[in-house]
Amino acid sequence: DEMPGTAKWVSVGNYPADRHDAAGTVRVVGGTLTTGNYSVIVGADGSGTLEMVGSAGALTAKTIVLSNATESVASFVADASGFSPMTATNLKIAEGAKLKVDLSGYTGTKTRFPIFASTTVEGEFADIEVVGGTGKASDYRVVRTATGLSFAQQKGLLLILR
């Protein structure tokens, strides 16, 4: 479910510790999710999705971990203006973590979008799924910057001379 407003702590409890099939989504839509000095770990004991919807939300954590225990997905869904980046001091992307970007609602002309604002980035996405946008899905890639990760459409001319 979507959580309007500001959430300071989200906990899903009473799930049996001997089961390893939890599934869930944390979706930020126009509100603020702040964990303070705590980490957000996605997919540690099942499948999980961390999703930013639109350009009015904010998610801030000390560390964001996209684990590979089962399945973890970072998802960004654009509104007409794009989407907000997720912010963490540390970003850890385990082997097998996925990125989904939905540009269907985007009406602007930008071709590069910050997705994670982070001082430290470890790992890279195994799979990138793109919905909407211009061009082919293969035209898009994740770019490391001094301030984190951006999602960008590759543009330009490639000449192969022999």
Side-chain angles (χ1 to χ4, degrees), residues 68-127:
N68 63 354
T70 304
E71 179 182 57
S72 61
V73 178
S75 176
F76 295 85
V77 180
D79 60 17
S81 300
F83 43 77
S84 299
M86 297 180 196
T87 302
T89 304
N90 306 299
L91 173 62
K92 298 180 181 186
I93 305 167
E95 184 178 331
K98 298 176 183 174
L99 173 66
K100 291 184 180 179
V101 179
D102 184 344
L103 296 171
S104 301
Y106 182 62
T107 59
T109 58
K110 291 190 316 186
T111 58
R112 182 178 287 235
F113 303 88
I115 53 174
F116 288 100
S118 183
T119 315
T120 305
V121 178
E122 295 177 27
E124 58 188 43
F125 290 101
D127 185 32

Side-chain angles (χ1 to χ4, degrees), residues 2-8 10 27-34 56-59:
E2 296 178 4
M3 297 184 304
T6 301
K8 293 292 182 190
V10 177
R27 181 176 293 120
V28 179
V29 184
T32 300
L33 173 61
T34 303
L59 183 150

Side-chain angles (χ1 to χ4, degrees), residues 4 14-15 22 24 26 37 40 51 56 61 63 65 69 81 83-84 90 97 107 118 126 130 133 143 158:
N14 298 324
Y15 196 79
V26 173
N37 226 12
V40 173
E51 184 172 68
T63 302
V65 178
S81 300
F83 43 77
S84 299
N90 306 299
T107 59
S118 183
V130 182
V143 179
L158 174 64

